[in-house]
Amino acid sequence: MLDNIKEFASNFFVTGDPLIYGADVSIAIFTIAIVAGLTYFKKWGWLWKNWLTTVDHKKVGIMYILAAILMMFRGGVDGLMMRAQISMPDMQFLQPEHYNQVFTTHGTIMILFMAMPLMFGLFNIAVPLQIGARDVAFPFLNALSFWLFFMGAMLFNLSFVIGGSPDAGWLSYPPLSELQFSPGVGQNFYIWGIQISGIGSLATGINFLVTIIKMRAPGMTWMKMPMFTWSVFATCIIIIFAFPILTITLALLFLDRFGGAHFFTLDMGGNPMMYINLIWMWGHPEVYIVVLPAFGIFSEVVATFSRKKLFGYKSMVFAMLIISVLSFFTWVHHFFTMGSGADVNVFFAITTMAIAIPTGVKVFNWLFTMFRGRIRFTQPMMWTVAFIPCFVLGGMTGVMLAVAPADFQFHNSYFLIAHFHQVLIGGVVFGYFAGMYYWWPKMFGFMLPEKLGHWAFWLWNIGFYVCFMPQYALGLMGMTRRMSTYGWDRGWAPLNMVSTIGAILMGLGFLFQVWQIAEGIRRHKQLKASGDPWDARGLEWSIPSPAPEYNFATIPHVSSQDEWWEEKERRKNGILPEAKPVQPIHMPKNSAIPIIMSVFWFIAGFGFVFNWLWMAIPGLIGVAICMICRSFTYDTDYYIPKEEVERTEAALRGSV
């Protein structure tokens, strides 16, 4: 009996690596500290009522952002471990198998469990406020989307201490990801972590598309929508068409592994290239899913801190919509070397170059907006200005990769790694940082300390160029990605060491941001912000910061693109807005079903990971029961009395 338990434990838990043991200890200490803190300060009831069961879009957005910061830490540590391993030849820091696991989890976490939730967090914070709505179209579904993402992320992250992490790359190409070459459970963790999270992502896309179409304030026609809202609209279109492809692709891979199917094996008529085509039919639109909202953020920031109307509004709108369509016609540029033939390669080379045109339009529009503007170099504006040269360089190298004959040289090399990070960090991460700083006072009602923010900004930017510029040269020198070691005779050591130093600087920049947030929380009374600390242009700044539960006491009427800016101008000229009577406000009630249903999804996913049907089936039954309970729940909303709204408004507006 004891021997059986020992054998099970040795297979169930990851053992033999000191780094994993250190992670085990850290997880245990962190968990005990959280439980002890909540118990000591008697906050369990507060946590359950105000956060775990909330359907308030603002609180859901904050939880998304907090989860994304935690995932950035995890993915960043993975990146630093990889850089440490290849900083010098013949390093023994990570064993090859562990290195494969680290680069797999790094890519997966940074794209799906860091960039996506950070994006969804900003969706939740800004979009309903920008369009004058009191919540999203489906508040219950919004909460469920978050908890599905969170449980999927937790399931995936469990793999490095239980069962073993996936090691077939962040897109898990067959045949390496098939049962023959990945017999462990790591690949199952990959499939089910992403599947559960992906359901939430698809639901979020549907939710915000409906919100933008149906819940805009009176007078807000399509061509009066804020640019960030337009970027979210274009993104949701891509999500709705792209994420079902990912869901089906991973389901087919799971059937290969679990049910003995042969969709992606050469045996029995399958084809691995079918998987690669399918995964990139999702994967390249995914790049635009995460970058389009960053473009919307830059548009808001540039207009606000240049104190000018956004240049070329209509061209920006059409550029985003064109990108949302063209993003589905570029996926083959990821494998020009496949051997499809010159005709196919030429078509996808042309579409890849063509998509650079609407992207370039936006860059020129931002520059023309800043031209002769009264620019204020606040923290959001600093990140925006840093983005422009970084993204332009990333776009230029992208066009180089779009040239099919040249791609035979660049393919699978560190040149590609440098390009990808140039676009994803310089475009997506810098954009979301700009958005986080921009809407921070709207979320919490206080500013973040400037000095620490400047340290973080310069460490991030200097570290970025020091890390990734050498990698272009390394790629041209022949260094391919996924290498865990190399010899002294290659001549790659000096540039790899420089690149590692840059990664460390970016890590320090992240720590300064954490310090900045902690210091802001400590000094929040001193750093208290008004409802409109930036002298901004959008409706979200017309209400107190942080926004009350109901957002707007009375729904605004929109007459221009920059409604709040125009309203302030009218007030300066002595034209006061017409007072509207306050009415009782209809709001959704909190619900425990989203978190409970997501826990059942986690149980079902964990069961499928280990092929334990005795666990997976009850988990799915629990999901079905939660859906039935929701269907028969009729007490889902309530009204805030007008007297309470008036008291809240008086208190909030009197304190800013």
Side-chain angles (χ1 to χ4, degrees):
M1 180 68 176
L2 185 61
D3 290 338
N4 290 335
I5 293 173
K6 286 181 178 179
E7 183 180 357
F8 171 79
S10 65
N11 293 324
F12 186 71
F13 295 103
V14 179
T15 59
D17 192 321
L19 292 173
I20 300 297
Y21 294 142
D24 292 337
V25 173
S26 299
I27 292 170
I29 293 173
F30 189 67
T31 303
I32 292 169
I34 291 175
V35 172
L38 290 170
T39 304
Y40 180 79
F41 292 105
K42 299 179 180 179
K43 291 292 185 180
W44 285 107
W46 166 84
L47 181 67
W48 178 259
K49 180 180 178 181
N50 290 286
W51 293 96
L52 300 185
T53 60
T54 187
V55 296
D56 184 344
H57 70 93
K58 299 177 290 296
K59 290 182 178 179
V60 170
I62 290 170
M63 291 192 293
Y64 265 123
I65 291 170
L66 179 60
I69 291 172
L70 291 173
M71 291 297 99
M72 182 180 287
F73 173 76
R74 164 74 206 277
V77 169
D78 283 346
L80 287 171
M81 287 196 295
M82 283 191 290
R83 289 308 323 163
Q85 170 61 27
I86 58 177
S87 59
M88 293 180 64
D90 302 324
M91 286 286 286
Q92 300 297 319
F93 177 64
L94 296 175
Q95 296 302 312
E97 181 182 0
H98 193 184
Y99 184 86
N100 291 345
Q101 294 173 351
V102 167
F103 78 66
T104 298
T105 56
H106 168 74
T108 307
I109 287 171
M110 285 303 206
I111 295 293
L112 290 164
F113 301 133
M114 186 281 288
M116 291 292 286
L118 192 49
M119 176 185 81
F120 289 148
L122 295 174
F123 283 16
N124 274 278
I125 295 300
V127 170
L129 301 182
Q130 285 197 328
I131 64 174
R134 290 204 168 107
D135 210 312
V136 295
F138 309 114
F140 176 90
L141 185 63
N142 196 33
L144 179 61
S145 298
F146 168 75
W147 287 113
L148 285 171
F149 147 74
F150 186 79
M151 292 302 169
M154 291 302 99
L155 182 65
F156 181 87
N157 277 273
L158 266 184
S159 64
F160 80 108
V161 293
I162 294 177
S165 296
D167 59 0
W170 81 277
L171 288 177
S172 291
Y173 288 175
L176 187 57
S177 57
E178 293 282 0
L179 201 59
Q180 179 183 358
F181 298 103
S182 294
V185 297
Q187 208 54 46
N188 295 342
F189 272 114
Y190 174 94
I191 292 169
W192 282 100
I194 295 176
Q195 284 287 47
I196 294 170
S197 177
I199 296 169
S201 298
L202 180 58
T204 300
I206 296 169
N207 201 348
F208 277 88
L209 193 72
V210 176
T211 299
I212 293 168
I213 293 173
K214 301 294 290 183
M215 298 187 69
R216 302 192 307 279
M220 184 176 282
T221 60
W222 286 103
M223 285 301 158
K224 292 176 185 173
M225 285 202 316
M227 192 52 63
F228 180 68
T229 301
W230 263 117
S231 73
V232 173
F233 179 80
T235 299
C236 290
I237 292 173
I238 306 176
I239 288 173
I240 289 170
F241 285 100
F243 264 82
I245 301 173
L246 176 66
T247 301
I248 295 301
T249 305
L250 293 179
L252 295 177
L253 180 61
F254 184 71
L255 288 174
D256 273 11
R257 295 176 57 84
F258 182 77
H262 293 278
F263 293 105
F264 307 127
T265 64
L266 291 176
D267 297 336
M268 308 293 290
N271 189 347
M273 282 310 305
M274 182 167 69
Y275 176 94
I276 297 174
N277 273 279
L278 287 170
I279 202 72
W280 279 116
M281 287 174 69
W282 160 80
H284 202 80
E286 167 67 13
V287 173
Y288 293 101
I289 285 172
V290 294
V291 83
L292 279 177
F295 292 162
I297 291 167
F298 293 134
S299 300
E300 301 286 341
V301 170
V302 164
T304 295
F305 297 111
S306 299
R307 298 179 66 82
K308 284 179 62 181
K309 199 176 192 70
L310 182 67
F311 181 90
Y313 175 91
K314 289 184 178 179
S315 66
M316 292 283 276
V317 170
F318 290 127
M320 287 187 180
L321 295 177
I322 289 168
I323 287 174
S324 69
V325 174
L326 279 180
S327 66
F328 286 93
F329 295 93
T330 61
W331 81 88
V332 172
H333 72 225
H334 289 277
F335 41 90
F336 279 143
T337 57
M338 177 180 71
S340 297
D343 293 344
V344 172
N345 284 0
V346 165
F347 174 82
F348 284 96
I350 291 171
T351 56
T352 303
M353 294 178 194
I355 207 169
I357 296 171
T359 305
V361 167
K362 289 192 288 295
V363 173
F364 281 108
N365 284 352
W366 295 320
L367 293 174
F368 285 131
T369 303
M370 288 188 278
F371 180 65
R372 292 184 176 176
R374 289 174 285 170
I375 298 174
R376 291 173 290 156
F377 282 101
T378 60
Q379 290 181 77
M381 191 64 173
M382 289 171 65
W383 286 102
T384 301
V385 172
F387 148 81
I388 292 175
C390 187
F391 194 80
V392 167
L393 182 57
M396 291 169 60
T397 55
V399 173
M400 293 172 65
L401 288 160
V403 179
D407 187 68
F408 277 74
Q409 174 66 36
F410 302 137
H411 185 74
N412 215 34
S413 74
Y414 259 75
F415 188 95
L416 175 60
I417 296 294
H419 157 75
F420 187 72
H421 285 83
Q422 183 110 36
V423 174
L424 267 293
I425 295 179
V428 175
V429 177
F430 285 9
Y432 293 168
F433 283 166
M436 188 179 73
Y437 284 112
Y438 184 59
W439 284 305
W440 185 274
K442 184 52 59 183
M443 288 187 273
F444 299 107
F446 65 89
M447 309 291 283
L448 288 173
E450 289 277 343
K451 188 174 181 180
L452 290 172
H454 290 170
W455 274 98
F457 172 82
W458 288 111
L459 284 168
W460 262 102
N461 277 270
I462 294 170
F464 173 83
Y465 286 102
V466 172
C467 181
F468 293 107
M469 293 304 104
Q471 293 184 15
Y472 285 113
L474 285 167
L476 296 175
M477 293 166 66
M479 185 172 179
T480 58
R481 56 182 175 171
R482 306 187 183 98
M483 295 180 64
S484 64
T485 188
Y486 54 92
W488 284 100
D489 58 326
R490 297 289 187 177
W492 301 336
L495 290 176
N496 270 309
M497 178 57 72
V498 171
S499 183
T500 301
I501 292 170
I504 293 170
L505 290 176
M506 286 192 290
L508 290 173
F510 174 79
L511 293 179
F512 266 92
Q513 286 177 306
V514 173
W515 184 8
Q516 181 187 20
I517 292 171
E519 186 68 10
I521 294 170
R522 188 182 71 83
R523 296 171 49 202
H524 70 280
K525 291 183 179 179
Q526 299 169 270
L527 299 167
K528 191 172 182 180
S530 66
D532 182 16
W534 306 123
D535 191 18
R537 311 179 77 84
L539 282 178
E540 71 267 35
W541 302 104
S542 66
I543 57 177
S545 298
E549 178 186 3
Y550 49 79
N551 295 346
F552 296 89
T554 58
I555 297 298
H557 187 279
V558 175
S559 58
S560 66
Q561 290 172 10
D562 297 324
E563 178 61 27
W564 176 233
W565 180 266
E566 298 296 336
E567 175 68 26
K568 288 186 289 186
E569 291 298 311
R570 289 193 291 268
R571 290 181 182 184
K572 288 177 184 177
N573 295 325
I575 305 173
L576 298 178
E578 181 183 350
K580 298 179 182 178
V582 175
Q583 301 293 334
I585 296 176
H586 177 257
M587 296 296 293
K589 282 187 175 180
N590 286 359
S591 175
I593 294 177
I595 186 171
I596 294 172
M597 186 190 299
S598 301
V599 169
F600 278 119
W601 268 113
F602 180 93
I603 293 169
F606 196 86
F608 279 122
V609 164
F610 285 93
N611 294 338
W612 294 343
L613 294 181
W614 58 266
M615 179 182 285
I617 292 174
L620 293 177
I621 292 172
V623 171
I625 291 171
C626 287
M627 295 173 71
I628 293 169
C629 289
R630 174 62 182 178
S631 298
F632 288 95
T633 301
Y634 300 105
D635 185 18
T636 59
D637 46 25
Y638 70 103
Y639 281 89
I640 303 176
K642 79 173 207 175
E643 294 78 14
E644 184 179 337
V645 176
E646 290 170 345
R647 286 195 301 270
T648 302
E649 287 293 301
L652 287 173
R653 295 185 184 278
S655 65
V656 296

